[in-house]
Amino acid sequence: MAVKERNKVPEKLYACHTAVIDGYVIEGHVPADLIHKLVKEKPAVLGLAVPGMPVGSPGMEGGKPEPYNVIAFDKSGGTTVYAKR
């Protein structure tokens, strides 16, 4: 949890993995194409998160895929839907 707290990941977005890529925090099973988009476009967000472990997200293939949201979050803990999958 210290890594998540240090990188200001809102608790409601906690997932199983945390990474920092090109200065952006990536929490959970965020699709690679959206990470590439984030790094290329450089929006004013702290990072992206996929809370939990939704079936059908990267690394969670198998079974019937379920829709999930990729959430952008900022330093103040504000969130918006960055993409729907």
Side-chain angles (χ1 to χ4, degrees), residues 27-52:
E27 179 71 12
H29 294 255
V30 177
D33 66 307
L34 294 178
I35 296 170
H36 288 287
K37 178 181 177 189
L38 177 77
V39 170
K40 181 179 178 183
E41 295 180 357
K42 300 194 183 310
V45 299
L46 186 58
L48 298 178
V50 173

Side-chain angles (χ1 to χ4, degrees), residues 29-32 53-66 68:
H29 294 255
V30 177
M53 296 170 53
V55 175
S57 64
M60 295 301 297
E61 296 84 3
K64 183 179 179 189
E66 56 191 31
Y68 63 93

